[in-house]
Amino acid sequence: MLEHWRRWRAARFATRHPFPAETWAEARARLPLLTALSDEDAEHLGKRAWGFVHAKRLSLHPALADTPFDEPARLALAAQACLLTLGWSDAEHHEAFANVHEILILPEAFERRVEELDEAGVMHQYADERAGETSYQGPVVVAYPDLMESGDFKGFNVLIHELAHKLDMGNSLDVDGFPPLPRDIAANDWHRVFTAVWDDLQARLARGEDTPIDDYAASHPGECFAVCCEYFFSAPDQLDEAYPALYALLARYFQQDPLTRLKAHSQD
């Protein structure tokens, strides 16, 4: 009965909102992450992103009222969000993003006052500049300049980062680097692989060495997960070279292989 209702609803949506194939082709052409998709994956992602555009609020700050943000740009934004769930079923996709209601785009990066308690029990306060943020039921907030820097294979994607936090909060009110896991991934395996990455990052920083991925991943377990998701999709070669066990784990989790996608794209 539920599956029948879902098919009826999908057919009704397609009738009311025909998929804009030409708009999607233009959106794909603008971003290497989308250009690299196979035709089959691109068709699937495009239709899912089209549904996302109609199901979620995509809002520009009033200061961006005169900023060009046309239909291909909106569809490209939605596609980057839906790229995380491309390998999942429609039901899993909708459940994963049930706590996503709005994506709000601000004109610039913004500051937040942060309080942190160190190991000695001393409270530290400082201003933290952010390209994005989100909360359990709050909007996904991203800065326009950082959004424009996202979408290629350079290891940075503010949308993927913030949407990874939303996945993380699928079983918690806060980020902890431990999202709901599929049945074929044991919690112990997840903890073991991510702990090894976390420990390596901390050790490198303690020795004053560069880290193979953005050292922001070493600031909090939740940020470690989000940064690794960014690299998984937008720099899979770097992540696989630095932490192959983690890349393999995320490939199982997302049911995707962006590294193969990147290699095929690089040969074109």
Side-chain angles (χ1 to χ4, degrees):
M1 178 65 72
L2 181 58
E3 185 59 32
H4 175 75
W5 177 81
R6 284 174 176 162
R7 288 197 298 268
W8 172 83
R9 186 178 181 184
R12 185 166 178 259
F13 174 81
T15 299
R16 291 188 170 189
H17 307 283
F19 178 66
E22 292 184 2
T23 302
W24 173 233
E26 184 174 345
R28 283 192 68 194
R30 294 182 182 184
L31 298 181
L33 279 184
L34 305 182
T35 306
L37 294 167
S38 68
D39 290 342
E40 181 180 359
D41 282 346
E43 181 179 2
H44 182 49
L45 180 63
K47 292 181 178 179
R48 185 168 281 180
W50 184 236
F52 189 96
V53 165
H54 287 81
K56 315 296 182 181
R57 293 190 299 275
L58 307 183
S59 307
L60 287 176
H61 187 276
L64 294 171
D66 296 328
T67 300
F69 199 67
D70 56 10
E71 196 65 32
R74 295 170 66 84
L75 197 50
L77 181 154
Q80 290 176 85
C82 295
L83 189 60
L84 282 86
T85 60
L86 177 61
W88 299 351
S89 69
D90 287 341
E92 291 168 332
H93 161 73
H94 289 300
E95 182 179 356
F97 287 154
N99 61 348
V100 178
H101 308 292
E102 179 182 14
I103 296 179
L104 173 61
I105 304 171
L106 300 185
E108 299 289 346
F110 48 95
E111 288 189 352
R112 290 286 185 263
R113 296 297 303 176
V114 178
E115 294 184 349
E116 287 188 354
L117 191 67
D118 66 18
E119 295 180 356
V122 178
M123 182 67 72
H124 300 271
Q125 297 183 353
Y126 60 93
D128 182 33
E129 184 172 274
R130 300 182 178 183
E133 69 175 12
T134 192
S135 58
Y136 179 67
Q137 288 292 347
V140 173
V141 181
V142 296
Y144 182 79
D146 297 279
L147 178 62
M148 294 298 100
E149 289 295 320
S150 302
D152 54 24
F153 288 102
K154 297 178 182 177
F156 172 80
N157 192 295
V158 65
L159 270 175
I160 289 176
H161 185 106
E162 297 306 325
L163 267 296
H165 284 323
K166 285 291 193 181
L167 297 183
D168 194 350
M169 290 184 281
N171 54 4
S172 171
L173 297 181
D174 200 0
V175 297
D176 58 8
F178 229 110
L181 300 177
R183 293 181 179 179
D184 66 333
I185 298 181
N188 287 342
D189 289 341
W190 185 273
H191 182 266
R192 173 179 53 80
V193 172
F194 266 98
T195 296
V197 172
W198 175 267
D199 288 346
D200 180 70
L201 292 170
Q202 299 297 328
R204 288 173 184 265
L205 290 173
R207 295 193 297 267
E209 299 175 2
D210 291 336
T211 54
I213 61 175
D214 191 335
D215 62 11
Y216 190 52
S219 65
H220 186 279
E223 299 301 344
C224 187
F225 172 65
V227 169
C228 289
C229 288
E230 284 185 84
Y231 276 79
F232 178 75
F233 287 102
S234 64
D237 51 341
Q238 294 183 45
L239 186 65
D240 182 60
E241 181 178 359
Y243 303 114
L246 175 60
Y247 179 86
L249 180 69
L250 289 179
R252 290 172 59 199
Y253 172 71
F254 286 112
Q255 298 182 44
Q256 298 184 56
D257 186 8
L259 182 57
T260 299
R261 192 182 298 156
L262 173 61
K263 290 178 179 178
H265 176 68
S266 300
Q267 293 172 358
D268 291 342

